[in-house]
Amino acid sequence: MIQLFQIALLLAHTSSFTHHVRFGRQRQTSYLQSSPHTITSTPSPHDPNSNIHTLTFAPLPLQSLGSPPITFKSNLIGRQASSSVLTSQASTVLLTTVCHAPPRDSNIDFLPLSVEHQERFSSIGSTSGGYNKRDGRPSDSNILTCRLIDRPLRPIVRPGWTQDSQILSWVMSYDAKEEIETDSGCSSIDVLAILGAAVATRLSGIPTIGSTAAVEVACLESGQIIVNPSKKEMAKSLLRLVVAGSEKGILMVEGQAIDPKVEKVDKVEKVEKDVNSTASAPPQTTTVITEATMVKCIGAAFTAIKVLCAGIDDFQKVAGAAKRDDLLNSRDPLVALKVKELYSEEVNKCFSMREGKEAQSVEIYRIYDHAWETIGGDGAGSIENAQKNDVKLSVKELMSKTMYNMAKDDNLRVDGRGFGEVRPISIVQDLLPKVHGHALFTRGETQALATATLGDAGMNQKLDNLEGKSTKRFYLQYSFPPSSVGETGRVGTPGRREIGHGALAEKSLKPSLPKEEDFPYSIRLESLITESHGSSSMASVCGGSLAMMDAGVPVKSVVGGVAMGMLFDPDPSSPDTMDDDAIVLTDIMGVEDALGAMDFKVAGDEHGITAFQLDIKCEGLSVKLLEKALEDARVGRLHIIERMKEAIPGPRAELPESVPKLRSFFIKPESIGRVIGPGGKVIRAIIEDYDLTNMDVGEDGTVQISGFNATKMAEVEKYCGELVAEKGGRSGGGGGGDRPVYDGPDPVEGTIYKACTITGVHNFGVFAEILPGLEGLCHVSELHSERVNNVEGWVMARGMEVIDVMYLGKNEKGRHSLSRKKTLGGGGGGATTTAKPAFVRNPNRVAVAQDKELVSPMSADEVQIIEEAIQEAVE
């Protein structure tokens, strides 16, 4: 029934008459009521002579019918921008603006487009933990969203647009909890950000060849495909796929395989085992996507994209600004003819060279420079008023056409290879004796030096975004120094390209990792690009897989990657010949990437795909041609993996001696405070006394210790057992003697308990003793009315040993839950006025604590500065 309804929505996508309906006290104009989208106009609250226009989409084909509609409003906010759109779905709201200005250089021959995306902490009712409480520089996830917005928009901007253009995107409201708990929740922020930018660009004065749109796709184990799934639906998916395109074809694909079966291990029943040997690791299978499944998912996405594009086109007719075609750079047809006449033979000779990248690059730049000097000069062959950007574009078009004709007529590429041939591969090891694992992977003139470092949970990468705080045990950091292409330049903070390439390589390798309960080490991969001539990200995938095996990580399979390209010379008289005339290339070089029409990176193992990324420079790629590219990529990937296995057949049986040993055990969650101690005193003493490298206590009671002395590590487990027992060991406060067991009445919900001893400080909150022998947890979110980034630094900066808290009852884990935030003035929940008097265990100590707070020699700003310094030192 659902599928029949969705088909009916598609068939109903026809124009209907305009009619008027009453909406409150305002007149609302509604368009296209019988289509999958509606467009309405209402008088503006700012100006009665103008209207606010709203585009609303019903559920798309293959989207859950209960999903909230997506709406786009224009002319409400940011009216001085070229266009401004408010994108909404349920409680999630994004604001997108598009502006353009005269170019900073009249000779540029590319689109100077910049994209900025920011997830504001105020959108979740929170505040940044920084000193000035402002949202800081973009996080890696924000930068990756910027790239997702940018990539499908560039191909739809008309050639000749060189105005300085900027897209700004902000997340203004977001309810992560609602999306997780709802069966038919909101689309991902990434998709909404792309859609908001696509609509804003279409409504702006920037000339475009049409509309673009994006969707996310999930595929369940049953084979069911869901478009724009909720987070609950995505949690059951085998892949996460973001597809963008126009009505003519696919423009961008980004995705990865995910394992929906991963479940948290019951820590109580966890069995101890030796993780320092990989030989006993159970055999596992990498989660992959078959080429056939991927084609089906992209096809389903394309169907939904065409529905979205049709609605955006209609919206542009109602709310769009006049296109500034007058600002397009004009082309002189005589320039292209002169370039072809003077340089066809030289370009042919250049692409017939077999002397490597450097010699060919020198010749290419020479042709560019000579063409401008000749055609833009005063001598023979010059053209009056010729523009430099016109000459450069004409030379580039000649080179692209020559490369295509050479491939079509002679079945050869510019380096003499066949279309499906991979460049020579070499793998070198034993270069770095002290690292845990490494490999030097070279393919042609692209080279990556990959290193793997193993550590305990303290080495996990910390993340802080709208979804909350989390950690990653596996991460890949990619570096592309200017020396890799024989140049000089800036070195330091990674750029957006480096972050994007590193994220793709990380997603490619993640499905091959062993489960954390089988191999609890943190894994840090670094890929240093030492030579580059095409697809350094895929070289990072190959090198990273080899480095992990060299370090003894029991990966599920060997993962390799390859970059695919496409040569195509569009014929204006036959615009629909791409499927027949386009030439797909395997393992493209830099020059084929620059002059070609596609960059399609595919990574995976022998059984399927783990991650993929597609970018198109033309108007769109058909599903049929994409299917061919996937098959060619599979053949190339299998060849690369075969060479990798020749160098390292599988993971080493033993971990290197320089890797610290790990040991994990479990304590009751209510006893965590006793192991940590006030301000971390106890845990620091354990690390020092037993020569540990690190000790990490999880919120669920999992204790992970690392060190090089197995005997002392065993003693730590025994000592912690005594520490948390009813008698013996140190108390939570660090003192000796027996610890009393609480056997009194249960605490009363809503009661404030003052001057409670802090028994433990951890990154997820503070443990406090509210009654003799009874501890509770004040979660980090309940410590202060403002965001606390580093709990230990926050406590240390204030010199806190006692704390006032309100008892909130037991949480879902059965743990006593506390809140300091609700005891603060204005904290809400009756924090300062309770139904019962506050329970005071030691009135004298309370008075002392209150006096200390009143006569503190430091101002609030000084305390904040110290907190920030401690936070930076800890991080």
Side-chain angles (χ1 to χ4, degrees), residues 158-434:
R158 287 182 57 187
W161 181 262
T162 57
Q163 296 283 302
D164 202 12
S165 306
Q166 186 177 54
I167 298 174
L168 303 180
S169 172
W170 297 273
V171 179
M172 309 300 294
S173 174
Y174 182 64
D175 191 344
K177 183 178 180 181
E178 176 186 78
E179 292 193 15
I180 292 173
E181 294 180 351
T182 306
D183 286 325
S184 300
C186 297
S187 304
S188 72
I189 286 181
D190 290 345
V191 169
L192 294 177
I194 299 171
L195 286 172
V199 174
T201 302
R202 188 66 169 138
L203 299 185
S204 73
I206 298 177
T208 58
I209 59 177
S211 297
T212 185
V215 296
E216 187 177 43
V217 178
C219 181
L220 308 186
E221 287 186 280
S222 62
Q224 180 186 359
I225 296 174
I226 304 174
V227 170
N228 283 352
S230 67
K231 288 193 174 179
K232 193 169 184 179
E233 292 170 328
M234 180 56 71
K236 305 172 186 176
S237 178
L238 295 171
L239 82 164
R240 180 179 187 259
L241 181 67
V242 177
V243 183
S246 65
E247 289 184 320
K248 296 184 177 181
I250 304 300
L251 295 172
M252 182 201 75
V253 180
E254 180 90 16
Q256 66 183 112
I258 54 180
D259 189 354
K261 296 180 180 179
V262 174
E263 299 176 354
K264 292 184 178 180
V265 177
D266 187 347
K267 300 296 191 305
V268 178
E269 299 178 357
K270 184 174 179 180
V271 179
E272 296 289 343
K273 61 177 145 181
D274 180 12
V275 297
N276 302 293
S277 172
T278 63
S280 59
Q284 300 174 22
T285 303
T286 301
T287 302
V288 295
I289 309 158
T290 64
E291 284 74 10
T293 298
M294 184 174 172
V295 170
K296 289 180 182 178
C297 291
I298 293 175
F302 186 44
T303 300
I305 285 170
K306 288 189 285 187
V307 174
L308 289 167
C309 287
I312 296 172
D313 282 340
D314 289 337
F315 195 42
Q316 194 273 334
K317 297 172 185 176
V318 176
K323 295 300 179 182
R324 296 300 308 272
D325 293 338
D326 57 305
L327 297 178
L328 291 170
N329 291 336
S330 58
R331 299 283 302 274
D332 186 347
L334 294 178
V335 172
L337 292 174
K338 181 61 70 173
V339 166
K340 182 177 180 180
E341 174 189 341
L342 297 178
Y343 296 101
S344 290
E345 186 175 347
E346 292 190 38
V347 171
N348 270 300
K349 289 181 179 178
C350 174
F351 288 159
S352 299
M353 298 172 63
R354 301 291 184 265
E355 300 174 21
K357 172 188 174 182
E358 183 176 357
Q360 193 173 69
S361 297
V362 169
E363 182 63 15
I364 288 173
Y365 286 122
R366 187 197 67 79
I367 294 174
Y368 272 115
D369 294 339
H370 192 270
W372 169 238
E373 292 172 2
T374 301
I375 299 175
D378 299 326
S382 64
I383 296 178
E384 186 177 0
N385 298 325
Q387 300 296 314
K388 187 173 184 179
N389 53 13
D390 193 0
V391 174
K392 290 173 66 178
L393 280 172
S394 297
V395 173
K396 184 176 181 179
E397 289 169 355
L398 175 62
M399 289 183 175
S400 180
K401 188 178 183 69
T402 301
M403 185 180 292
Y404 172 73
N405 289 335
M406 182 182 296
K408 186 175 182 181
D409 298 337
D410 303 329
N411 291 324
L412 286 178
R413 297 157 69 171
V414 293
D415 62 348
R417 283 185 292 151
F419 300 153
E421 187 177 347
V422 177
R423 287 172 288 176
I425 294 173
S426 65
I427 298 169
V428 179
Q429 294 179 279
D430 301 326
L431 293 173
L432 310 174
K434 283 296 186 180

Side-chain angles (χ1 to χ4, degrees), residues 454-460 520-522 660 662 693-695 704-707:
L454 308 182
D456 54 33
M459 201 180 78
N460 287 356
Y521 282 95
S522 297
L662 293 186
T693 304
N694 192 33
M695 182 174 182
Q704 185 187 85
I705 57 177
S706 60

Side-chain angles (χ1 to χ4, degrees), residues 31 154 172 671 750 808 834:
Y31 307 88
R154 286 185 180 273
M172 309 300 294
S671 303
L808 302 180
T834 60

